[in-house]
Amino acid sequence: MKILNLNLKHKTVPIETENGLFQKAAQRIKELFGERKIMLVTDSNVGPVYAEKLFTQLKDLNIETGVYTVPAGENSKSHDLLLKLYDAFARFGLTRRDIVIAVGGGVTGDLAGYAASTWLRGTGLVHIPTSLIAMVDSSIGGKTAVNLPHGKNLVGSFYHPEIVLIDPLLLETLPDRYFFDGIAEVIKYGLISDNNLFEMLESLENRGNIIEHIEEIIFRCCDIKRNIVEQDETESGIRMILNFGHTFGHAIEKVFGYEKYTHGEAVSVGMVYISEISEKLGFCNSELPKRLRSVLSRYGLPVDFPKVDNNAVIDAVLIDKKSRTNDINLVLIEEPGKVFIKRFPKEQIRRMVHENRYD
Ligand code: GLY
């Protein structure tokens, strides 16, 4: 087993990664939380495959366990679902000393995490991520959220789990599209902080090759995120580099109604776009965007900016929740493993997108 400790100001979060860990999860939960009640939160895809198993295993250990299943998909990150979840917590008699376990991908983790952070002003939380994107990103670092009609993740909290249990074998049931969705974030980690990881992804060819190294890949991504979050828990500085490719990625997701592109696919396009901006501004050479296009395309990820009304993109970028001032922070790249944050007046971003002007 590989163990990382995320050392925060007020608590330490162990992140345990091991092939086959899910089989031992109930035992591990009993060791950690004794007789405390457990509420599993899952979605309609993951529930029948994994949460039901965990439910049975916990029951077999005489742990009082409940389960709440939300419909799979981004629409479940809503206040409607949140109220239903609170209702389930109330009916189950979940107290502040009990534990909510999110078994699923990013949507489940964000929703269950927000519910746990607000229920009785905070109950215990555990993440058991089942998608690659949740294993390497959303289960670590304490971000929880629900969406509003105005935009994604507009209501949320920083709320860290007691532990994150990662079993890479759970990826076996993840459809290809969502596996490679996670690979976009893995490539992002290489680009922001680990040239060797980036080169490893360049040297592999397909899902089978990646799976041979997946424990190590997940561990390295989690370690990069651990290091960044320890320096900046609330994203007031360096943590922003985790948003490499995300400013334009989020805009693309939004313009297409969160339906055409998965998060990782939109980030893939956004990473290429921002590397091309970095080149045009003279921060990196022309080889880098080409390398990026090549590695992302190899894994079936989109790389071309879609033909879409520029005004819609600009509007989406400018109302992004992280950009309420006159300036916008963009994460630019010099070379794989080396990125930096630069503030741009909104007007300059408008010129870049509209007129291809980089002065
Ligand atoms: N997903 C980016 C972050 O956790 O900061």
Side-chain angles (χ1 to χ4, degrees):
M1 179 186 304
K2 292 179 186 297
I3 302 178
L4 289 166
N5 282 312
L6 170 62
N7 291 310
L8 301 162
K9 286 193 186 72
H10 300 293
K11 87 193 262 191
T12 294
V13 181
I15 303 162
E16 299 184 352
T17 305
E18 186 182 25
N19 282 332
L21 183 58
F22 186 73
Q23 296 307 327
K24 303 185 260 179
Q27 194 54 52
R28 188 80 188 93
I29 287 157
K30 185 161 182 155
E31 278 162 25
L32 290 165
F33 306 115
E35 303 299 318
R36 288 151 82 174
K37 287 207 268 190
I38 303 290
M39 185 72 186
L40 302 178
V41 180
T42 189
D43 77 20
S44 51
N45 287 339
V46 172
V49 190
Y50 295 121
E52 293 296 333
K53 277 194 194 123
L54 186 58
F55 180 79
T56 308
Q57 287 166 357
L58 289 164
K59 288 266 193 196
D60 287 348
L61 294 174
N62 293 320
I63 297 173
E64 200 178 338
T65 308
V67 60
Y68 190 84
T69 306
V70 303
E74 187 69 31
N75 287 343
S76 285
K77 268 172 66 175
S78 69
H79 279 85
D80 276 358
L81 249 300
L82 184 66
L83 289 181
K84 289 184 179 149
L85 202 46
Y86 291 147
D87 184 57
F89 290 177
R91 281 184 285 116
F92 183 57
L94 193 79
T95 72
R96 196 182 271 170
R97 67 182 290 281
D98 297 326
I99 306 290
V100 171
I101 303 185
V103 186
V107 167
T108 303
D110 281 7
L111 173 72
Y114 185 67
S117 79
T118 44
W119 179 250
L120 304 176
R121 300 197 177 87
T123 186
L125 173 68
V126 170
H127 282 302
I128 303 185
T130 60
S131 70
L132 184 54
I133 213 159
M135 290 180 189
V136 298
D137 185 24
S138 56
S139 66
I140 298 158
K143 280 191 181 173
T144 80
V146 289
N147 301 332
L148 286 180
H150 306 277
K152 256 178 92 167
N153 298 334
L154 289 180
V155 177
S157 58
F158 284 102
Y159 194 71
H160 293 272
E162 305 306 310
I163 191 164
V164 182
L165 299 174
I166 302 176
D167 180 353
L169 292 186
L170 302 192
L171 296 174
E172 272 171 12
T173 52
L174 193 67
D176 269 349
R177 185 170 185 203
Y178 293 96
F179 182 79
F180 292 113
D181 174 62
I183 289 299
E185 290 282 351
V186 170
I187 291 171
K188 177 201 79 178
Y189 281 111
L191 290 168
I192 63 172
S193 173
D194 185 345
N195 181 35
N196 289 339
L197 178 61
F198 181 69
E199 288 183 349
M200 181 183 203
L201 268 295
E202 284 189 312
S203 72
L204 300 173
E205 304 226 326
N206 52 41
R207 180 168 174 162
N209 299 146
I210 295 173
I211 286 291
E212 284 168 29
H213 303 273
I214 197 71
E215 232 185 309
E216 185 197 338
I217 290 173
I218 291 171
F219 180 80
R220 280 165 79 162
C221 294
C222 291
D223 198 30
I224 294 168
K225 184 144 187 191
R226 175 204 59 73
N227 183 24
I228 293 170
V229 172
E230 281 180 359
Q231 295 174 62
D232 176 17
E233 288 181 25
T234 53
E235 199 175 288
S236 49
I238 182 136
R239 185 164 176 170
M240 283 183 233
I241 70 171
L242 290 169
N243 294 328
F244 178 70
H246 281 56
T247 300
F248 289 98
H250 282 157
I252 291 167
E253 276 185 285
K254 181 155 196 221
V255 169
F256 287 91
Y258 302 101
E259 277 175 5
K260 184 165 179 206
Y261 292 84
T262 65
H263 176 69
E265 288 166 354
V267 166
S268 171
V269 175
M271 290 193 295
V272 172
Y273 191 69
I274 201 67
S275 70
E276 288 169 349
I277 288 185
S278 303
E279 181 206 341
K280 285 172 182 145
L281 291 170
F283 293 113
C284 71
N285 65 31
S286 60
E287 274 314 294
L288 183 58
K290 286 186 198 145
R291 281 175 73 188
L292 207 42
R293 279 177 174 272
S294 159
V295 66
L296 292 163
S297 313
R298 175 171 326 154
Y299 298 120
L301 288 159
V303 291
D304 290 319
F305 211 89
K307 294 207 181 340
V308 67
D309 178 7
N310 280 343
N311 286 315
V313 174
I314 287 287
D315 286 351
V317 167
L318 300 191
I319 65 159
D320 190 57
K321 69 180 190 300
K322 300 172 200 84
S323 56
R324 292 237 164 89
T325 62
N326 271 333
D327 295 332
I328 293 209
N329 286 313
L330 291 182
V331 185
L332 300 179
I333 185 157
E334 289 177 51
E335 58 191 62
K338 205 162 168 204
V339 293
F340 62 99
I341 302 160
K342 186 166 162 54
R343 281 181 92 73
F344 289 89
K346 286 182 174 174
E347 219 20 68
Q348 194 175 352
I349 309 249
R350 215 183 279 277
R351 279 204 306 274
M352 289 197 250
V353 175
H354 265 305
E355 302 164 29
N356 280 327
R357 275 183 51 197
Y358 298 86
D359 46 354

PDB file of all heavy atoms in Angstrom, residues 233-247:
ATOM      1  N   GLU A 233      -4.199  25.976   1.078  1.00  0.00           N
ATOM      2  CA  GLU A 233      -5.419  25.184   1.251  1.00  0.00           C
ATOM      3  C   GLU A 233      -6.632  25.796   0.556  1.00  0.00           C
ATOM      4  O   GLU A 233      -7.526  25.093   0.115  1.00  0.00           O
ATOM      5  CB  GLU A 233      -5.745  25.040   2.743  1.00  0.00           C
ATOM      6  CG  GLU A 233      -4.792  24.118   3.466  1.00  0.00           C
ATOM      7  CD  GLU A 233      -5.126  23.940   4.935  1.00  0.00           C
ATOM      8  OE1 GLU A 233      -6.290  24.110   5.347  1.00  0.00           O
ATOM      9  OE2 GLU A 233      -4.184  23.626   5.696  1.00  0.00           O
ATOM     10  N   THR A 234      -6.676  27.125   0.468  1.00  0.00           N
ATOM     11  CA  THR A 234      -7.922  27.759   0.022  1.00  0.00           C
ATOM     12  C   THR A 234      -7.786  28.471  -1.330  1.00  0.00           C
ATOM     13  O   THR A 234      -8.584  29.351  -1.649  1.00  0.00           O
ATOM     14  CB  THR A 234      -8.416  28.765   1.077  1.00  0.00           C
ATOM     15  OG1 THR A 234      -7.327  29.649   1.366  1.00  0.00           O
ATOM     16  CG2 THR A 234      -8.877  28.071   2.331  1.00  0.00           C
ATOM     17  N   GLU A 235      -6.791  28.100  -2.089  1.00  0.00           N
ATOM     18  CA  GLU A 235      -6.614  28.607  -3.451  1.00  0.00           C
ATOM     19  C   GLU A 235      -6.476  30.132  -3.501  1.00  0.00           C
ATOM     20  O   GLU A 235      -7.172  30.811  -4.246  1.00  0.00           O
ATOM     21  CB  GLU A 235      -7.793  28.159  -4.328  1.00  0.00           C
ATOM     22  CG  GLU A 235      -7.457  28.254  -5.814  1.00  0.00           C
ATOM     23  CD  GLU A 235      -8.567  27.695  -6.705  1.00  0.00           C
ATOM     24  OE1 GLU A 235      -8.727  26.466  -6.716  1.00  0.00           O
ATOM     25  OE2 GLU A 235      -9.244  28.479  -7.360  1.00  0.00           O
ATOM     26  N   SER A 236      -5.572  30.631  -2.669  1.00  0.00           N
ATOM     27  CA  SER A 236      -5.320  32.069  -2.770  1.00  0.00           C
ATOM     28  C   SER A 236      -4.018  32.333  -3.507  1.00  0.00           C
ATOM     29  O   SER A 236      -3.644  33.480  -3.743  1.00  0.00           O
ATOM     30  CB  SER A 236      -5.283  32.694  -1.378  1.00  0.00           C
ATOM     31  OG  SER A 236      -4.434  31.934  -0.557  1.00  0.00           O
ATOM     32  N   GLY A 237      -3.307  31.289  -3.890  1.00  0.00           N
ATOM     33  CA  GLY A 237      -2.029  31.476  -4.578  1.00  0.00           C
ATOM     34  C   GLY A 237      -1.713  30.273  -5.434  1.00  0.00           C
ATOM     35  O   GLY A 237      -2.404  29.978  -6.410  1.00  0.00           O
ATOM     36  N   ILE A 238      -0.690  29.517  -5.021  1.00  0.00           N
ATOM     37  CA  ILE A 238      -0.148  28.464  -5.886  1.00  0.00           C
ATOM     38  C   ILE A 238      -1.179  27.412  -6.303  1.00  0.00           C
ATOM     39  O   ILE A 238      -1.076  26.814  -7.366  1.00  0.00           O
ATOM     40  CB  ILE A 238       1.073  27.789  -5.232  1.00  0.00           C
ATOM     41  CG1 ILE A 238       1.651  26.722  -6.160  1.00  0.00           C
ATOM     42  CG2 ILE A 238       0.747  27.152  -3.913  1.00  0.00           C
ATOM     43  CD1 ILE A 238       3.109  26.721  -6.275  1.00  0.00           C
ATOM     44  N   ARG A 239      -2.198  27.193  -5.457  1.00  0.00           N
ATOM     45  CA  ARG A 239      -3.194  26.172  -5.820  1.00  0.00           C
ATOM     46  C   ARG A 239      -3.854  26.464  -7.173  1.00  0.00           C
ATOM     47  O   ARG A 239      -4.363  25.557  -7.831  1.00  0.00           O
ATOM     48  CB  ARG A 239      -4.248  26.035  -4.706  1.00  0.00           C
ATOM     49  CG  ARG A 239      -5.232  24.904  -4.961  1.00  0.00           C
ATOM     50  CD  ARG A 239      -6.025  24.509  -3.740  1.00  0.00           C
ATOM     51  NE  ARG A 239      -7.012  23.498  -4.058  1.00  0.00           N
ATOM     52  CZ  ARG A 239      -7.722  22.817  -3.187  1.00  0.00           C
ATOM     53  NH1 ARG A 239      -7.536  23.044  -1.894  1.00  0.00           N
ATOM     54  NH2 ARG A 239      -8.599  21.908  -3.555  1.00  0.00           N
ATOM     55  N   MET A 240      -3.818  27.757  -7.555  1.00  0.00           N
ATOM     56  CA  MET A 240      -4.412  28.110  -8.861  1.00  0.00           C
ATOM     57  C   MET A 240      -3.758  27.357 -10.012  1.00  0.00           C
ATOM     58  O   MET A 240      -4.375  27.201 -11.064  1.00  0.00           O
ATOM     59  CB  MET A 240      -4.266  29.609  -9.117  1.00  0.00           C
ATOM     60  CG  MET A 240      -5.251  30.453  -8.350  1.00  0.00           C
ATOM     61  SD  MET A 240      -5.011  32.159  -8.802  1.00  0.00           S
ATOM     62  CE  MET A 240      -4.809  32.892  -7.207  1.00  0.00           C
ATOM     63  N   ILE A 241      -2.514  26.889  -9.841  1.00  0.00           N
ATOM     64  CA  ILE A 241      -1.889  26.192 -10.980  1.00  0.00           C
ATOM     65  C   ILE A 241      -2.606  24.873 -11.307  1.00  0.00           C
ATOM     66  O   ILE A 241      -2.468  24.349 -12.405  1.00  0.00           O
ATOM     67  CB  ILE A 241      -0.356  25.966 -10.817  1.00  0.00           C
ATOM     68  CG1 ILE A 241      -0.046  24.937  -9.745  1.00  0.00           C
ATOM     69  CG2 ILE A 241       0.371  27.276 -10.599  1.00  0.00           C
ATOM     70  CD1 ILE A 241       1.442  24.538  -9.727  1.00  0.00           C
ATOM     71  N   LEU A 242      -3.382  24.374 -10.321  1.00  0.00           N
ATOM     72  CA  LEU A 242      -4.181  23.168 -10.617  1.00  0.00           C
ATOM     73  C   LEU A 242      -5.245  23.475 -11.668  1.00  0.00           C
ATOM     74  O   LEU A 242      -5.852  22.571 -12.230  1.00  0.00           O
ATOM     75  CB  LEU A 242      -4.855  22.656  -9.341  1.00  0.00           C
ATOM     76  CG  LEU A 242      -3.928  22.048  -8.291  1.00  0.00           C
ATOM     77  CD1 LEU A 242      -4.675  21.830  -6.982  1.00  0.00           C
ATOM     78  CD2 LEU A 242      -3.345  20.724  -8.773  1.00  0.00           C
ATOM     79  N   ASN A 243      -5.481  24.757 -11.901  1.00  0.00           N
ATOM     80  CA  ASN A 243      -6.479  25.149 -12.908  1.00  0.00           C
ATOM     81  C   ASN A 243      -5.859  25.320 -14.289  1.00  0.00           C
ATOM     82  O   ASN A 243      -6.479  25.913 -15.169  1.00  0.00           O
ATOM     83  CB  ASN A 243      -7.172  26.453 -12.489  1.00  0.00           C
ATOM     84  CG  ASN A 243      -7.998  26.252 -11.237  1.00  0.00           C
ATOM     85  OD1 ASN A 243      -8.532  25.164 -11.012  1.00  0.00           O
ATOM     86  ND2 ASN A 243      -8.075  27.275 -10.412  1.00  0.00           N
ATOM     87  N   PHE A 244      -4.653  24.802 -14.499  1.00  0.00           N
ATOM     88  CA  PHE A 244      -4.038  24.893 -15.827  1.00  0.00           C
ATOM     89  C   PHE A 244      -5.001  24.304 -16.873  1.00  0.00           C
ATOM     90  O   PHE A 244      -5.468  23.167 -16.725  1.00  0.00           O
ATOM     91  CB  PHE A 244      -2.704  24.133 -15.850  1.00  0.00           C
ATOM     92  CG  PHE A 244      -2.043  24.159 -17.198  1.00  0.00           C
ATOM     93  CD1 PHE A 244      -1.490  25.332 -17.697  1.00  0.00           C
ATOM     94  CD2 PHE A 244      -1.991  23.033 -18.000  1.00  0.00           C
ATOM     95  CE1 PHE A 244      -0.905  25.374 -18.954  1.00  0.00           C
ATOM     96  CE2 PHE A 244      -1.400  23.056 -19.248  1.00  0.00           C
ATOM     97  CZ  PHE A 244      -0.859  24.234 -19.721  1.00  0.00           C
ATOM     98  N   GLY A 245      -5.293  25.091 -17.885  1.00  0.00           N
ATOM     99  CA  GLY A 245      -6.207  24.633 -18.946  1.00  0.00           C
ATOM    100  C   GLY A 245      -7.673  24.744 -18.590  1.00  0.00           C
ATOM    101  O   GLY A 245      -8.546  24.464 -19.418  1.00  0.00           O
ATOM    102  N   HIS A 246      -7.964  25.140 -17.328  1.00  0.00           N
ATOM    103  CA  HIS A 246      -9.352  25.092 -16.877  1.00  0.00           C
ATOM    104  C   HIS A 246     -10.148  26.349 -17.218  1.00  0.00           C
ATOM    105  O   HIS A 246     -11.368  26.280 -17.325  1.00  0.00           O
ATOM    106  CB  HIS A 246      -9.410  24.851 -15.361  1.00  0.00           C
ATOM    107  CG  HIS A 246      -9.187  23.418 -14.973  1.00  0.00           C
ATOM    108  ND1 HIS A 246      -8.063  22.713 -15.351  1.00  0.00           N
ATOM    109  CD2 HIS A 246      -9.936  22.541 -14.252  1.00  0.00           C
ATOM    110  CE1 HIS A 246      -8.144  21.478 -14.867  1.00  0.00           C
ATOM    111  NE2 HIS A 246      -9.270  21.352 -14.210  1.00  0.00           N
ATOM    112  N   THR A 247      -9.480  27.506 -17.346  1.00  0.00           N
ATOM    113  CA  THR A 247     -10.259  28.732 -17.573  1.00  0.00           C
ATOM    114  C   THR A 247     -11.029  28.607 -18.889  1.00  0.00           C
ATOM    115  O   THR A 247     -12.250  28.795 -18.933  1.00  0.00           O
ATOM    116  CB  THR A 247      -9.334  29.959 -17.587  1.00  0.00           C
ATOM    117  OG1 THR A 247      -8.687  29.998 -16.309  1.00  0.00           O
ATOM    118  CG2 THR A 247     -10.104  31.249 -17.799  1.00  0.00           C
TER     119      THR A 247
END
